[in-house]
Amino acid sequence: MAAVAAAAETPVIKVAALSGSLRKGSYNRGLLRSAIQISKESINGMQIEYIDISPLPFLNTDLEVDGTYPPVVEAFRQKIAAVDSILFASPEYNYSVTGPLKNAIDWASRPPSVWADKAAAIVSAGEDFGGGRSQYHLRQIGVYLDLHFINKPEFFLNAFQPPSKFDSDGNLTDAETKEKLKQVLLALQAFTLRLQGKC
């Protein structure tokens, strides 16, 4: 009974998971799938929903009519508005964030912005620096958006250094990496609750 009562008292935070890569088998989408699995199995009080940004049109203010947005854009904005925090999987394209991710960020920043005062974390998988340069650009963008990123732990994964940490479908299989990902989620949970004055 005590365990049930404790579980009932744990605040539940809702997290939107966004991937800068649209490819189904991408390692960055694999990180988000693993994060969702970890949250369900071993983190009490966290619900992560993957939000697909591929249907969003290119940002074009001509699509805004009388202060309204295309239905697919409005649906995306409402999903972001409804969550407590954001988990970005941000691959690195040409030393920066990807076009699809920047496009999604820009749509959700149109007035009224739905990013402000949310906690956020970034994970990335890539070559060499593991997507780190994209993370630093995303943090710069977040300053203007009033997103509050956790500082530690950082998560940069060199996905191409053997042995492979993913299977052929892009699913994360490495236990050590999963544990590092779990620590990011726990830090995001704690920071979100702190920002909300719940801990």
Side-chain angles (χ1 to χ4, degrees), residues 115-131:
W115 297 114
D117 293 325
K118 297 184 187 297
I122 318 171
V123 297
S124 58
E127 297 182 271
D128 302 325
F129 195 27

Side-chain angles (χ1 to χ4, degrees), residues 21-152:
S21 175
L22 305 184
R23 191 171 61 85
K24 290 182 180 179
S26 82
Y27 293 152
N28 284 275
R29 287 186 68 170
L31 291 177
L32 295 183
R33 287 193 297 273
S34 186
I36 291 170
Q37 181 181 10
I38 290 168
S39 69
K40 290 179 178 178
E41 293 177 353
S42 58
I43 301 180
N44 187 35
M46 174 177 275
Q47 297 176 354
I48 304 178
E49 178 186 2
Y50 173 74
I51 299 177
D52 186 7
I53 64 174
S54 63
L56 295 173
F58 287 128
L59 180 69
N60 179 354
T61 55
D62 288 343
L63 299 177
E64 302 175 22
V65 180
D66 297 327
T68 65
Y69 299 96
V72 66
V73 173
E74 185 58 34
F76 172 70
R77 288 171 51 84
Q78 290 302 317
K79 285 188 175 184
I80 298 300
V83 300
D84 302 293
S85 52
I86 314 293
L87 176 63
F88 293 99
S90 182
E92 182 179 315
Y93 287 11
N94 300 317
Y95 277 31
S96 189
V97 299
T98 68
L101 183 56
K102 184 60 164 60
N103 185 58
I105 290 170
D106 290 345
W107 269 125
S109 72
R110 297 293 297 160
S113 173
V114 293
W115 297 114
D117 293 325
K118 297 184 187 297
I122 318 171
V123 297
S124 58
E127 297 182 271
D128 302 325
F129 195 27
R133 286 173 288 246
S134 73
Q135 291 201 24
Y136 294 140
H137 273 194
L138 184 51
R139 287 177 181 274
Q140 287 180 307
I141 295 167
V143 170
Y144 181 77
L145 299 175
D146 290 325
L147 275 170
H148 306 292
F149 285 99
I150 64 170
N151 291 324
K152 296 290 191 305

